């Protein structure tokens, strides 16, 4: 570690104690940020951790929808996103007006929104889901024969394989995962014939069909630790490889493709974390009328 990083880290450590702050980081964050975080995880784990913390301040190292989720679940707490421009292009592919339109076109059909959506879209939803629980959430509607999923078409198509319900979906996608093709997988498998290939459900169906396992980011961490395999091709954002390597020093990991970098996830830096702790901003807040309705959709998910 460089001297400047060490200095930044010691200042961050001092301030996080003084301000009673918890630092949460998503599995795609740069390695040094995952290492300094109090807790790391996938979207579902981070939602639970955000809900259950006693800290007065939550510093969210991830993207806006994740910090918004923390703010929705913690109306009394200060929630900070060290870089306010860290967004999610998929979340921006659907608006609350679109969600209202879906509800009028599909009356009575539950609207299941991926947590990768903005707060006002969550507020229009019946329930939220993550990549770790979409199948469970959809199947929890025992009386419904149809469900509408938004915004990710790939998560919807993946979930549709594990339910008898008819799944309608919005046509959003994650540019990082949607960019992966069958050819990328076939090339990687030719190069590493003995490797195990695991993929995130945000990948296209033809990519997932070639996978040995499909998991959320934390699902991948669990799978790799329990697997007897020694070489893994990783079909998700490469920030995850930091944790995979750290927890499994004797196993090897290769990203499915060099393009697997989410630029928004990389906008947070140690300098920005320190500045945000000093100033307790930029804060993420959600208007109360939206927050209350979005909280219902998140609570329903967390109860399932
Ligand atoms: P996970 O919930 O699997 O960590 O995924 C979050 C995400 O943004 C995937 O692109
Ligand atoms: Fe959004 Fe994709 Fe980045 Fe996840 S990896 S935050 S879905 S753009």
């Amino acid at each position: 570690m460089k001297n400047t990083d060490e200095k930044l880290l010691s200042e961050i450590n001092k301030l996080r104690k003084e301000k009673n702050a918890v630092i949460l980081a998503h599995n795609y964050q740069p390695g040094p940020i995952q290492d300094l975080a109090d807790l790391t995880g996938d979207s579902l784990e981070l939602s639970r951790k955000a809900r259950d913390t006693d800290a007065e301040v939550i510093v969210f190292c991830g993207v806006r929808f994740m910090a918004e989720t923390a703010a929705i679940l913690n109306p009394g707490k200060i929630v900070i996103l060290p870089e306010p421009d860290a967004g999610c292009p998929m979340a921006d592919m659907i608006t609350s007006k679109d969600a209202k339109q879906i509800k009028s076109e599909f009356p009575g059909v539950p609207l299941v929104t991926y947590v990768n959506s903005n707060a006002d879209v969550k507020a229009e939803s019946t329930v939220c889901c993550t990549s770790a629980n979409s199948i469970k959430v959809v199947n929890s509607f025992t009386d419904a024969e149809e469900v509408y999923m938004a915004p990710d078409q790939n998560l919807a198509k993946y979930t549709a394989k594990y339910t008898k319900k008819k799944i309608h979906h919005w046509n959003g996608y994650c540019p990082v995962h949607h960019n992966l093709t069958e050819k990328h997988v076939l090339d990687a498998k030719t190069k590493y014939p003995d490797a195990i290939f695991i993929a995130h459900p945000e990948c296209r169906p033809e990519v997932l069909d070639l996978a040995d396992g499909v998991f959320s980011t934390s699902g991948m961490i669990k799978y790799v630790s329990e697997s007897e395999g020694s070489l893994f091709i990783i079909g998700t954002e490469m920030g995850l490889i930091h944790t995979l390597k750290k927890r499994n020093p004797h196993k090897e990991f290769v990203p499915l493709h060099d393009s697997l970098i989410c630029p928004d996830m990389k906008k947070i830096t140690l300098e920005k974390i320190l500045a945000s702790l000093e100033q307790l901003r930029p804060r993420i807040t959600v208007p109360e009328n939206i927050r209350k309705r979005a909280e219902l959709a998140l609570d329903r998910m967390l109860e399932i």
Side-chain angles (χ1 to χ4, degrees):
M1 195 185 291
K2 289 184 288 198
N3 281 346
T4 43
D5 284 3
E6 271 177 28
K7 199 161 167 273
L8 282 167
L9 261 181
S10 83
E11 287 176 43
I12 290 170
N13 284 338
K14 187 169 143 268
L15 275 179
R16 73 166 137 194
K17 273 198 206 108
E18 268 173 41
K19 310 253 169 148
N20 188 15
V22 67
I23 302 180
L24 304 185
H26 185 262
N27 291 324
Y28 294 158
Q29 284 293 293
I33 294 182
Q34 293 195 45
D35 291 344
L36 76 81
D38 294 290
L39 301 158
T40 55
D42 66 5
S43 305
L44 182 61
E45 290 173 324
L46 292 173
S47 311
R48 289 196 191 284
K49 285 165 183 172
R51 186 193 53 177
D52 297 339
T53 179
D54 295 330
E56 287 165 67
V57 177
I58 299 174
V59 179
F60 216 111
C61 302
V63 292
R64 178 168 280 266
F65 76 81
M66 296 178 172
E68 261 184 7
T69 298
I72 292 164
L73 295 169
N74 291 286
K77 289 185 179 152
I78 296 172
V79 178
I80 289 167
L81 181 63
E83 169 48 67
D85 279 344
C88 168
M90 169 158 62
D92 293 336
M93 288 178 190
I94 185 167
T95 64
S96 61
K97 197 167 161 234
D98 297 325
K100 284 185 187 129
Q101 182 65 27
I102 291 169
K103 291 201 291 187
S104 73
E105 274 177 39
F106 295 86
V109 173
L111 173 58
V112 178
T113 55
Y114 195 19
V115 284
N116 301 35
S117 57
N118 297 316
D120 55 352
V121 171
K122 288 187 176 75
E124 296 301 328
S125 331
T126 316
V127 64
C128 290
C129 75
T130 75
S131 61
N133 65 9
S134 64
I135 298 166
K136 233 179 172 178
V137 168
V138 163
N139 285 328
S140 73
F141 292 97
T142 43
D143 295 337
E145 284 175 12
E146 300 176 43
V147 165
Y148 196 107
M149 293 185 75
D152 188 13
Q153 57 177 285
N154 291 323
L155 182 69
K157 289 175 195 167
Y158 167 71
T159 308
K161 285 172 71 178
Y162 298 92
T163 179
K164 292 201 174 78
K165 299 181 199 309
K166 180 169 173 49
I167 304 288
H168 305 275
H169 64 78
W170 193 250
N171 271 333
Y173 56 87
C174 161
V176 181
H177 291 87
H178 199 65
N179 188 35
L180 298 173
T181 63
E182 205 177 353
K183 183 171 184 311
H184 292 145
V185 184
L186 297 175
D187 288 350
K189 285 193 173 219
T190 307
K191 197 164 171 200
Y192 306 103
D194 298 327
I196 294 174
F197 169 48
I198 53 177
H200 194 277
E202 288 174 15
C203 297
R204 293 168 189 265
E206 57 270 30
V207 168
L208 297 184
D209 284 347
L210 294 171
D212 297 298
V214 177
F215 307 101
S216 76
T217 55
S218 291
M220 287 184 184
I221 295 173
K222 186 166 181 287
Y223 174 85
V224 165
S225 324
E226 290 168 2
S227 165
E228 309 235 303
S230 55
L231 175 60
F232 299 82
I233 301 166
I234 305 300
T236 197
E237 212 275 349
M238 50 178 101
L240 184 71
I241 294 182
H242 174 79
T243 301
L244 291 174
K245 269 194 188 140
K246 214 168 133 184
R247 297 204 191 172
N248 306 275
H250 303 301
K251 297 182 181 176
E252 279 185 70
F253 306 94
V254 283
L256 174 58
H257 195 257
D258 291 347
S259 64
L260 275 167
I261 297 175
C262 171
D264 283 276
M265 281 282 180
K266 308 303 184 210
K267 285 181 179 168
I268 311 253
T269 61
L270 293 179
E271 286 83 355
K272 289 178 190 172
I273 296 174
L274 178 58
S276 72
L277 275 166
E278 280 166 350
Q279 299 156 22
L280 290 186
R281 47 191 287 269
R283 291 191 193 185
I284 298 296
T285 54
V286 177
E288 192 56 13
N289 60 331
I290 293 175
R291 193 199 67 76
K292 273 198 181 138
R293 292 162 60 224
E295 186 179 28
L296 280 179
L298 282 166
D299 277 347
R300 279 190 204 117
M301 170 184 87
L302 293 171
E303 276 160 24
I304 289 168

